[in-house]
Amino acid sequence: QGPISGVNKEIPVLQCHGDCDPLVPLMFGSLTVEKLKSMINPANVTFKTYSGMMHSSSIEEMMDVKQFIDKHLPPVD
């Protein structure tokens, strides 16, 4: 619960959530992303939902994660 400052305020965040998740309702994902946006630069927070996805992952989600990693992390030699 320490303060977020400096470079950490600019960290990019991708949060993904299925809209049919029976374990972690979408409402909790939405509340979490709003809290994140209040703690760090909200322009750096991306919240993606996936239609019909339960408490699992999908090809679409994994492609979004790959795209996020490719954009924000340096390539591995």
Side-chain angles (χ1 to χ4, degrees):
Q1 286 260 355
I4 296 175
S5 61
V7 71
N8 290 332
K9 277 195 153 307
E10 297 302 321
I11 192 166
V13 173
L14 171 64
Q15 182 182 342
C16 302
H17 207 107
D19 67 356
C20 292
D21 189 332
L23 297 177
V24 182
L26 182 57
M27 177 186 70
F28 293 141
S30 298
L31 291 170
T32 300
V33 80
E34 291 309 311
K35 180 65 175 175
L36 276 170
K37 287 180 177 181
S38 75
M39 297 170 68
I40 64 175
N41 182 348
N44 293 341
V45 178
T46 302
F47 183 57
K48 299 197 98 176
T49 59
Y50 301 89
S51 179
M53 192 170 84
M54 299 181 77
H55 194 73
S56 60
S57 64
S58 68
I59 296 294
E60 182 184 3
E61 180 189 27
M62 291 297 101
M63 294 305 295
D64 288 339
V65 170
K66 181 187 181 314
Q67 186 176 44
F68 179 83
I69 290 170
D70 288 345
K71 179 178 178 182
H72 294 288
L73 294 178
V76 176
D77 292 331

